[in-house]
Amino acid sequence: KGIGVDLVELSRIKDICDERFISRILSDEERLLYEDMTSEKTKLMFLGGRFAAKEAIFKAISKGPGDTNYNDFSILKDENGKPYVKTSFFKNDEVIHVSITHTDTYAIAYVIIEIS
């Protein structure tokens, strides 16, 4: 159905990171994970990765925040640490595959949406 990729400069996220930004980007489930983190670097990488993944999802579905909301999607991890997307946005049998990686400077996410 679609593919999307997004690259985020973590210094940019750090510069705009405030309570309003965090609330706009993270779902309730993601927010709980974020608040349990003690390292500021880990928090920044988490937030940057989630932002990149959600932007990649918007690109894959060809809709931006005007049609969807960052909170429509939760990027969680399974028991093996693999990220997955939890959402009620889709009404069909879409499956969202997501991969996120980080460096000290960047976070990147790649998304493939397929119809099963």
Side-chain angles (χ1 to χ4, degrees):
K1 182 172 181 161
I3 61 170
V5 65
D6 196 65
L7 175 69
V8 172
E9 204 169 341
L10 293 176
S11 63
R12 180 175 166 258
I13 297 296
K14 186 176 182 178
D15 289 344
I16 62 174
C17 186
D18 60 13
E19 183 58 38
R20 182 174 167 258
F21 180 77
I22 293 167
S23 295
R24 192 172 134 237
I25 301 305
L26 298 181
S27 68
D28 291 341
E29 288 175 281
E30 292 167 320
R31 184 65 184 251
L32 291 173
L33 297 171
Y34 178 82
E35 289 174 353
D36 278 347
M37 296 174 184
T38 56
S39 164
E40 290 303 315
K41 182 177 179 180
T42 302
K43 284 182 166 185
L44 180 62
M45 294 175 101
F46 181 87
L47 189 58
R50 272 31 185 199
F51 182 74
K54 292 176 185 192
E55 285 290 316
I57 290 169
F58 293 151
K59 291 172 183 177
I61 61 177
S62 300
K63 293 183 179 181
D67 298 315
T68 59
N69 183 314
Y70 291 104
N71 292 314
D72 288 334
F73 304 93
S74 291
I75 314 297
L76 306 171
K77 289 184 179 182
D78 69 12
E79 62 276 356
N80 296 314
K82 179 182 173 186
Y84 70 92
V85 179
K86 181 178 172 184
T87 185
S88 59
F89 178 77
F90 294 114
K91 305 300 180 221
N92 300 319
D93 293 329
E94 286 89 351
V95 176
I96 304 173
H97 303 278
V98 61
S99 181
I100 303 169
T101 194
H102 311 86
T103 68
D104 287 339
T105 310
Y106 297 100
I108 188 169
Y110 187 78
V111 168
I112 298 175
I113 301 176
E114 65 177 340
I115 299 173
S116 62

